Amino acid sequence: MQVNLNIQYEHLNSIQDLDIDDQDLLKAAIKATAFSQAKYSKFKVGAAAKLDNEAIVIGFNIENVSHSVTVCAEIALLSNIIINHSQHKIVTLALGYNNLKGHSKTPISPCGHCRQALIEYEQQSSNKIRCILGSLDGEIIIINGISNLLPLAFSNAMFNNA
Ligand SMILES: [Zn+2]
């Protein structure tokens, strides 16, 4: 039996096509790139989450000369939320970036490591996270739920299988 997976997302041409709250969240993510510590790659990533109490929390990537020590913006964001906002859930997550040339037009997408971290957070919070994947001045993708970014995800439900 062959099974086909369908992933749905929304595609927008620019930040102006978002409603004002989403624009503000993506702008917060883009602003967070200014704090990025990306001295090796110059690939500056910013993340911003709107929580269920309307608070906006940010994260950014932190590179290290030992590359495996590098922390992605999404992981920094999750750490910030888990430490400082543990009673609240992420409603919407926005990601933005700029690259070596200081530009970006293609929507960013979380790496596999971050998808795994985000899906576990999503499952534990029992709340689908809406993701706005952006760039500085290009197209935008909106995905409703991390499960759409990581189908067939590894989960702790497997620990309890007979
Ligand atoms: Zn990552």
Side-chain angles (χ1 to χ4, degrees):
M1 177 177 76
Q2 185 170 338
V3 177
N4 294 316
L5 292 171
N6 290 313
I7 297 171
Q8 295 185 340
Y9 63 88
E10 210 176 321
H11 178 269
L12 305 174
N13 288 323
S14 78
I15 192 169
Q16 281 79 32
D17 295 335
L18 292 169
D19 73 29
I20 200 72
D21 285 349
D22 287 345
Q23 281 188 31
D24 287 346
L25 192 63
L26 181 55
K27 285 176 184 172
I30 290 168
K31 241 186 202 171
T33 63
F35 302 106
S36 165
Q37 296 177 24
K39 64 180 176 180
Y40 302 104
S41 72
K42 313 293 185 212
F43 183 69
K44 298 178 178 181
V45 183
K50 179 171 270 190
L51 307 183
D52 58 7
N53 64 347
E54 302 288 314
I56 292 179
V57 183
I58 64 160
F60 44 85
N61 58 330
I62 303 164
E63 289 185 350
N64 187 279
V65 65
S66 176
H67 294 297
S68 64
V69 179
T70 293
V71 176
C72 291
E74 299 92 321
I75 303 299
L77 173 72
L78 284 178
S79 301
N80 189 353
I81 291 169
I82 291 166
I83 293 166
N84 297 310
H85 305 272
S86 60
Q87 280 93 346
H88 296 285
K89 298 175 181 180
I90 301 174
V91 176
T92 307
L93 166 69
L95 299 175
Y97 73 107
N98 59 73
N99 60 21
L100 193 57
K101 296 174 182 169
H103 302 297
S104 64
K105 281 196 173 300
T106 305
I108 192 169
S109 198
C111 76
H113 178 90
C114 290
R115 291 175 195 215
Q116 181 66 39
L118 288 164
I119 201 165
E120 186 156 321
Y121 177 92
E122 181 177 80
Q123 289 167 346
Q124 286 176 359
S125 68
S126 305
N127 191 49
K128 265 194 178 183
I129 299 173
R130 196 166 149 267
C131 298
I132 301 169
L133 307 177
S135 59
L136 285 184
D137 54 9
E139 298 167 352
I140 291 167
I141 287 174
I142 300 177
I143 294 183
N144 191 24
I146 305 298
S147 55
N148 281 311
L149 280 172
L150 191 61
L152 304 177
F154 178 72
S155 90
N156 64 5
M158 295 166 196
F159 290 174
N160 301 318
N161 281 349

